[in-house]
Amino acid sequence: MSVPAPPAASDPSAESPASRRREQRGWYVYDWANSAFYTTIISVFLGPYIIEVAKTAACGKDFPRLDAGACARDFDRLTVQNPGLGYVDVYGMDIRPAAFFGLITTVAVLLQIVILPMVGALADHTGRKREMLGGFAYAGALAAMGLFFVEGDRYLLGGWLFILANLGYGASIVVYDSFLPQISTPDERDRVSSQGWAIGYLGGGLLLALNLALFSGHEGLGLTEGEAVRIAMMSAGLWWATFTIVPLLRLRNRPVPAHEGTALGSVGGSFRQLWRTLRELRRYPLTLLFLVAYLVYNDGIQTVIGNSAAFASEALKLDRTVQITAILMVQFVAFFGALLLSRLAQRFGTKRTVLASIVVWTVIVVMALFVGEGQAVQFYLMAFAIAIVLGGTQALSRSLFSQVIPKGKEAEYFSLLQISDKGSAFIGSLTVTIALQLTNSFRIAIMSMVIFFVLGFVLLALVNLPKAIRAAGNEVPSNL
């Protein structure tokens, strides 16, 4: 009489509910930890600050007779009067200070696109996910803390530290996400994933609120504005590093199947598998069309969010207190906006709701041309509108994508979506960089995102979703 084989060690159903809950709670804390980097550094402080540092460097090079502070304040007027001046040197390239943040973002994104598939392959091959999570998290956190030393004309140091921190962030998220099916059963997965997402918003919002208090009261603390910004950026790295301890104590590595070849061979195999998945997409042309549509309009979304603080600073001349409070509002309103769009999808259909949200995004970037300089209330209204559609657009898009991929190959197809998300608006950030380089106008740069939303809307409208779902072998839901 044969004895049934015990459940695999990596099967979460083989573990007790108490053991799973322990790991799940530790897993949630990493979202709490790393969200501080995105909200405090990427969304609020780094863009405007690194541009000011680049302006200081350009002033020292091209306008040495002027006081650095006065030059930075009058930089736009000076560069209009002297069109051949006002550039910084980036390894032989003349780059406008306003375009420097877009440039380093583009470089960071390109490196992520190349490196993240290798990270996933190594994590699967070695099974040492906890160690890799900690290594990438602490590399990113240390680079983020190093931003404290970016002052004066050290714009290149700031650029390299940001690129390293962004790589650590993206790589750690790849490993972090791969824990989800190991610590939760299929019935638990939606709840666990959603709670991690929500806790991340709370963690990022809480530190941002504390940094808002620091920035608003910096004079009373005897700090300059620049010192307050550098402390805020360092605090995000420290927050990230400190709370990462919890998931490293709670999460466990699982046994992996025996692999033939080396880890480097596994990396090569991951790229071959990605190529096979891309080739197979030809059998599902409507799935491919949906994926392209999503990549286009999501590129626009990520680019608008990533450049919102720099837009407020450079185009609207709003101080950082306004920028921080606007981003803080977005952190909390976006959660409720996602729930609202989910309800609208149940009533009007998911595809219609996503198309309507893309229209709202288009209106938002068009209105960016007409927001008056110094008009904080208008900027808050824009931020509120973004918050309403931000989470819902992406969440509903992921839901639609899950309907048009064949069963049994979810990981392969979602890897394409993940790479695009981790890519974090490569084409969009490059478009903004080119627009700034050519026009030196953040309004026109943000307005250029209309192309992404219009094209994404048209492509999504062309997708026959019921046909795409049936072609993938799935059942058509009632609320398309």
Side-chain angles (χ1 to χ4, degrees), residues 287-360:
T287 299
L288 176 59
L289 180 59
F290 177 86
L291 179 60
V292 172
Y294 173 78
L295 297 186
V296 172
Y297 66 75
N298 186 58
D299 218 10
I301 291 171
Q302 297 296 331
T303 304
V304 171
I305 296 302
N307 288 273
S308 59
F311 169 76
S313 173
E314 296 300 307
L316 305 185
K317 308 302 180 185
L318 296 173
D319 61 43
R320 287 196 180 93
T321 301
V322 174
Q323 300 166 32
I324 296 170
T325 52
I327 296 298
L328 188 61
M329 176 187 68
V330 168
Q331 283 292 111
F332 297 106
V333 174
F335 177 80
F336 297 102
L339 299 179
L340 172 63
L341 262 65
S342 178
R343 292 198 173 190
L344 292 175
Q346 292 177 2
R347 181 172 181 180
F348 300 105
T350 308
K351 180 180 177 180
R352 292 189 186 93
T353 304
V354 173
L355 288 171
S357 71
I358 296 174
V359 172
V360 174

Side-chain angles (χ1 to χ4, degrees), residues 19 25 74 89 112 117 131 133 137 157 165 214 219 254 268 277 286 290 298 304 354 392 405 425 435 440 452:
S19 176
R25 289 166 183 163
D74 294 335
D89 178 70
Q112 280 192 342
E131 291 82 356
L133 175 66
L157 173 63
L214 169 69
E219 292 182 354
R254 267 71 176 178
T277 303
L286 292 175
F290 177 86
N298 186 58
V304 171
V354 173
I405 58 179
N440 202 28
F452 291 81

Side-chain angles (χ1 to χ4, degrees), residues 265-281:
S266 178
V267 170
S270 72
F271 282 106
R272 288 192 294 272
Q273 180 59 50
L274 179 61
W275 176 244
R276 285 193 294 267
T277 303
L278 289 170
R279 290 179 60 187
E280 190 182 56
L281 267 174

Side-chain angles (χ1 to χ4, degrees), residues 45 65 75 81 89 95-96 138 163 224 250 286 296 347 358 387 471:
F45 283 110
R65 296 182 180 180
F75 191 80
Q81 294 174 349
D89 178 70
I95 301 295
R96 292 187 183 274
Y138 281 106
I163 290 170
T224 66
R250 294 288 184 91
L286 292 175
V296 172
R347 181 172 181 180
I358 296 174

